[in-house]
Amino acid sequence: MDLGRLVGNLVAIRRSLPAGVRVEPVVKADAYGHGLVPVARALEAAGADGLCVATFDEGAALRRAGLRLPLLILYPIPPALAPEAARLGLTVTAGDADLLERTLEAVGRSGRPGRERRGRRDGLPVVQPALAIQIEVETGLGRGGFAETGIAKAMEAIAATAGARLAGAWSHLTAPEDPARTSEQERRFHAVAALLGGGGVDLPRHLVASGGLLAGGVAHLEGVRPGLVLYGLVPEGLAMPPDLLAVAGELRPVLSLHARPVRVADLPEGSGVGYGPSFVTARPSRIATLPIGYGDGWARSLSNRAEAIVRGHRVPLVGTVAMDAVMADVTGVPGSPVGVDDEFTLLGSQGDETIAAEDLARSRTTISWEVVTAMARRLPRVYHSAAGPMGLRTLTVERYLWPASSSGTATSATSKSTPS
């Protein structure tokens, strides 16, 4: 994980926006497979205005890790968790009338904000803060949010609950590459946003995510939510104006995937490779076994359909992808025979060759989002920048070293466990 590229992408995105527009990156799904806590810490240090997650647990994990930035949960949470969300300073989303009613009831039962609750923590009174709620607006995506007819009632319910406050409104574009559909969504959102501001309250609004950022033509309002583009990946199918095409050209992929063989063997002609076997050698072949499989997020659908790069040369990955292994045919690699010390690149660049996330997505008939978010927790993540190593995350070790954040937050090397 190249944190220098991550920060560079954030800078490029911010430079493309009008002054004053908040940039609140999306770090859900383990920061799109890149690592929730280390990515969030790097973004906080780089001056992000806030972060967006999908679940309560993601927000709670960031608070436990010491993140102080505003955190918005993009999906409604279980109502019973509302008081804890308030205590942690998490902003939640309201998009369903029944769930909002139950959420407000849970907040009401927890006590009025600013009032001391029973018990003390660290010798101090326990004070229940108000729960910040943003309203999701249904503008055409069809999966969440209040339609215009339900907005007024939702606002009234929030205003009538002493332990809650209205904190903003947002929606999500369904097809940024479709100007007509996007224009209609924007029109609907502005109509509802006008209702929200009718009480003289100036509420933050946000509509634009990665696709809208690069397709252009949509108002940035008070904030944007870059997701895929933050990680240096450009959504396919967008027709970008020249200025935004230049921005896209500045973005660099943060993640690359590498492995060294756990076995390299010479097999005779007619040998089966992997389950099935779905591949049989047509000549004497040298086969390298790489310790990555569908248990790591390397999809089984890539069987006999993908490549790796070794010594700057593309080689085919052959046989059926197993849970923990995939095989590379390195017979034609020039020079001395490929061995267990050679590094293979499965995603990223080596020499003049590059395997991009969109290449793997096409092979799997999916999208780049799925390729990177599928990377399993057990894959070690190594974090670095131009300054050198920045951190390591494995199943047993988390060690990070961060620069000082723009907010002055003190940082240091941290470890959750001792390496073996």
Side-chain angles (χ1 to χ4, degrees), residues 58 86 123 148 152 161 197 217 229 289 298 359 362 366 385 387:
E58 289 172 331
E148 183 175 351
T161 303
V229 294
T289 301
W298 190 262
D359 298 329
R362 292 189 198 102
T366 185
S385 68

Side-chain angles (χ1 to χ4, degrees), residues 23-272:
V23 180
E24 303 193 352
V26 181
V27 294
K28 62 182 181 178
D30 201 25
Y32 287 50
H34 293 66
L36 175 64
V37 171
V39 165
R41 283 177 166 170
L43 291 172
E44 183 176 56
D49 297 300
L51 299 171
C52 300
V53 296
T55 69
F56 171 85
D57 284 355
E58 289 172 331
L62 290 178
R63 287 290 185 247
R64 285 197 301 269
L67 270 290
R68 300 179 181 179
L69 285 176
L71 299 177
L72 169 64
I73 304 173
L74 294 170
Y75 285 80
I77 66 172
L81 295 176
E84 182 65 4
R87 188 187 70 80
L88 292 172
L90 303 176
T91 300
V92 304
T93 288
D96 176 87
D98 289 339
L99 286 178
L100 174 59
E101 181 180 359
R102 296 172 195 174
T103 296
L104 295 176
E105 288 175 355
V107 170
R109 288 194 300 268
S110 70
R112 294 180 62 186
R115 295 283 184 89
E116 181 179 339
R117 296 190 305 175
R118 289 183 182 178
R120 301 173 75 84
R121 183 182 295 116
D122 298 328
L124 299 174
V126 177
V127 176
Q128 177 67 27
L131 177 68
I133 301 175
Q134 291 201 17
I135 291 180
E136 181 183 1
V137 180
E138 170 63 88
T139 59
L141 186 59
R143 74 180 187 195
F146 287 94
E148 183 175 351
T149 54
I151 293 292
K153 188 174 181 180
M155 290 177 59
E156 291 170 2
I158 295 171
T161 303
R165 64 181 179 86
L166 184 60
W170 64 274
S171 190
H172 195 63
L173 299 177
T174 182
E177 68 279 5
D178 184 336
R181 188 178 293 273
T182 297
S183 178
E184 175 60 18
Q185 281 194 265
E186 188 176 18
R187 184 195 66 77
R188 292 181 183 178
F189 183 69
H190 284 309
V192 171
L195 293 176
L196 291 171
V201 180
D202 187 16
L203 294 172
R205 305 158 298 161
H206 43 108
L207 177 63
V208 171
S210 290
L213 276 170
L214 293 183
V218 187
H220 295 120
L221 305 175
E222 285 74 44
V224 297
R225 308 183 305 269
L228 192 73
V229 294
L230 179 75
Y231 305 100
L233 306 176
V234 177
E236 293 190 79
L238 292 178
M240 292 177 273
D243 58 331
L244 295 177
L245 191 61
V247 174
E250 294 183 54
L251 304 176
R252 295 290 181 267
V254 174
L255 180 153
S256 58
L257 179 63
H258 311 269
R260 286 192 171 88
V262 294
R263 175 184 184 258
V264 183
D266 293 309
L267 303 181
E269 179 183 345
S271 297

Side-chain angles (χ1 to χ4, degrees), residues 282-296:
R283 59 178 179 175
S285 301
R286 190 166 179 84
I287 304 296
T289 301
L290 306 178
I292 183 170
Y294 63 77
D296 302 288

